Every structure is written in C-alpha cells, then in structure tokens.
C-alpha cells in the first residue's frame, strides 16, 4: 500500500447485527483507509451501528438497490478525490484481510480493477447452490469470451479500483440492481484493465440476491444487460 487516500465502500441493507464487525475488520486490515457505509434504506439500526463502529455513513431515503448503494459510494469517493476505492458486502461474507493484497496487485500489475475470486484457485472452499452455480458458470464463460481473458467470478462484490473507474461508474451506464458480468464487459470495452485474485469467502448468512426464483430472473436480466452492453457504443476513458 502507499500514501494515496483510500476509501472502502460497504453497501448495507438491514445489517445491524453484522455491520460493526465488518467495519472493524476493515479498520484492522487497512487502518489508513476511511470506511463509508451506505445504508440502503434499512429499517433497523444499521446506520447507528456503523457509526458506533467508526464508519462514515450515508443514508438513502429508501431501499434503492445494491448497485444504487454502490454508486452512491463511488460518488462520495469521486467528490472527495480518493485515489483508491475498495468495496465489500456488509454481511460478513467477504474477508477484509484480502484488501491490502488486492490493492498491492492493483499497483504492481498496473491495472484498473482487481476482483476477488472465490473460484480462481479451484480449492472448492465455496459451494454455491445449483442454480447459482449454473448462472456463475454461464456468465463466466460469456465474460471470458468477450473480454479475451479468463474470468471465474463475475458476481464477486469484493473489488478494488482506481479513481477513474469510480468516475466511470458515476455515469448512467452503472445499473441499480446487479452490477456483475455486464459491468466487467463494459469496463473491458471501455479500455479498463481488469484482473482477478484468488480469495476465500464464506457463504452468505442470509438469502442471496441470486437465490431461489431470483436466480432465473437474474440469468434473464443479466443476459439482457450484456446484450445491451454489446450493442452500446464503447465509452473510451482517458
């Protein structure tokens, strides 16, 4: 890590019981970083728990969706000129201990985005449901084919990036619900360099946004979003 200002964005919805531990984990891993929790219209004490843990907090007036909460964090980062931005989920599934190594890879490899992958090292530690496994496998292949590189975990929410990527995500191209394989493809087509790094993740303690009947909707919606992304004229950054 270096002296560049760092912001870690944590979108959170009704995570009062877990958010304090997640914030504390980030503070241990990256004591030099600021931590921003975006409370996505929670009906519980998520915001106060995050503040008690020492995080900065932005409260959205209603539940706007995972992507909208992330974009709020990106806008915060852009306005305050954080050079490096990381993100992880509020449910404890992501281990903050991987963030320093991910930022090191971002710098050492000279890339724009590093994705934490559960499947890159093929150790079998993470076992998704059958429906989710199908979706991940499908969109991993699609993203790999279009991006001309091996993508193993297009749904990972554990990521680090440089400021220009956050600026790009502040535009209308960023979806409000599921920013997954479509965004990786859009980054590639817009000239950004994306890499994966092997990480360990636990199972989500609650119901995943891709679980049950949502898996079918996710596959339909993501397929449509990728098609629109391919039809859209590339937005070249820089």
């Amino acid at each position: 890590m270096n002296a560049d200002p760092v912001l870690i964005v944590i979108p959170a919805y009704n995570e009062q019981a877990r958010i304090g531990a997640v914030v504390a984990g980030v503070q241990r891993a990256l004591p030099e970083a600021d931590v921003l929790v975006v409370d996505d219209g929670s009906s519980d004490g998520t915001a106060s728990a995050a503040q008690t843990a020492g995080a900065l907090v932005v409260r959205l007036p209603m539940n706007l969706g995972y992507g909208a909460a992330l974009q709020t964090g990106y806008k915060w980062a852009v306005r305050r000129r954080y050079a490096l931005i990381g993100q992880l989920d509020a449910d404890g599934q992501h281990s903050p201990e991987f963030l320093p190594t991910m930022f090191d890879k971002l710098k050492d490899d000279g890339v724009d985005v590093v994705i934490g992958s559960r499947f890159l090292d093929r150790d079998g530690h993470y076992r998704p449901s059958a429906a989710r496994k199908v979706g991940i496998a499908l969109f991993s292949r699609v993203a790999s084919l279009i991006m001309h590189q091996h993508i193993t975990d297009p749904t990972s929410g554990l990521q680090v990036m440089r400021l220009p990527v956050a600026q790009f995500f502040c535009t209308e191209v960023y979806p409000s619900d599921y920013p997954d394989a479509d965004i990786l493809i859009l980054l590639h087509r817009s000239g950004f360099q994306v890499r994966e790094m092997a990480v360990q993740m636990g199972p989500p303690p609650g119901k995943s946004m891709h679980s049950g009947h949502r898996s079918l909707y996710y596959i339909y919606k993501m397929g449509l979003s990728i098609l629109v992304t391919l039809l859209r004229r590339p937005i070249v950054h820089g």
Side-chain angles (χ1 to χ4, degrees), residues 22 24 33 46 48 67 70 77 80 91 109 112 115 126 133 135 178 213 225 229:
V22 174
T46 294
S48 61
L70 278 174
R80 288 155 181 81
D91 59 8
D109 289 9
D112 302 294
I115 311 292
Y126 189 89
K133 186 175 182 179
Y178 307 132
H213 68 278
S225 183
T229 297

Side-chain angles (χ1 to χ4, degrees), residues 40-56:
D40 189 19
S42 297
S43 59
D44 64 2
T46 294
S48 61
Q51 288 175 326
T52 299
L56 303 164

Side-chain angles (χ1 to χ4, degrees), residues 131-151:
R132 192 174 188 198
K133 186 175 182 179
V134 169
I136 291 173
L138 171 63
F139 292 118
S140 293
R141 292 195 177 192
V142 171
S144 298
L145 180 64
I146 296 171
M147 296 171 66
H148 306 291
Q149 68 183 86
H150 188 44
I151 299 295

Side-chain angles (χ1 to χ4, degrees), residues 1 14 38 77 79 99 110 114 120 122 140 142 148 154 169 172 177 184 186 202 207 234:
M1 291 293 296
N14 289 343
V38 181
R79 289 172 183 172
L99 288 170
V114 173
L120 188 61
R122 299 185 179 183
S140 293
V142 171
H148 306 291
F169 285 167
E172 71 282 355
D177 47 10
L184 298 184
L186 183 61
K207 189 175 282 190

Side-chain angles (χ1 to χ4, degrees), residues 34-184:
D34 292 335
V35 182
L36 176 69
V37 172
V38 181
D39 181 4
D40 189 19
S42 297
S43 59
D44 64 2
T46 294
S48 61
Q51 288 175 326
T52 299
L56 303 164
V57 176
V58 171
R59 299 190 69 178
L60 300 181
M62 62 186 70
N63 182 231
L64 298 178
Y66 180 73
L70 278 174
Q71 190 180 63
T72 299
Y74 301 144
K75 290 179 178 179
W76 176 283
V78 168
R79 289 172 183 172
R80 288 155 181 81
R81 304 299 297 178
Y82 286 92
L84 301 171
I85 300 96
Q87 66 182 62
L88 74 163
D89 291 351
D91 59 8
Q93 180 185 14
H94 299 151
S95 298
E97 66 191 51
F98 290 104
L99 288 170
T101 309
M102 292 174 69
F103 279 117
D104 287 342
K105 184 174 180 63
L106 189 77
K107 179 182 67 173
D108 295 342
D109 289 9
V111 297
D112 302 294
V113 183
V114 173
I115 311 292
S117 171
R118 293 158 283 191
F119 310 114
L120 188 61
D121 60 8
R122 299 185 179 183
D123 64 355
H125 80 275
Y126 189 89
R127 298 180 182 275
S129 67
R132 192 174 188 198
K133 186 175 182 179
V134 169
I136 291 173
L138 171 63
F139 292 118
S140 293
R141 292 195 177 192
V142 171
S144 298
L145 180 64
I146 296 171
M147 296 171 66
H148 306 291
Q149 68 183 86
H150 188 44
I151 299 295
T152 63
D153 198 353
T155 70
S156 173
L158 180 60
Q159 305 179 17
V160 300
M161 66 195 70
R162 299 181 188 273
L163 176 60
V165 178
Q167 292 171 322
F168 182 70
F169 285 167
C170 289
T171 67
E172 71 282 355
V173 303
Y174 200 77
S176 63
D177 47 10
Y178 307 132
D180 287 337
D182 52 345
I183 286 299
L184 298 184

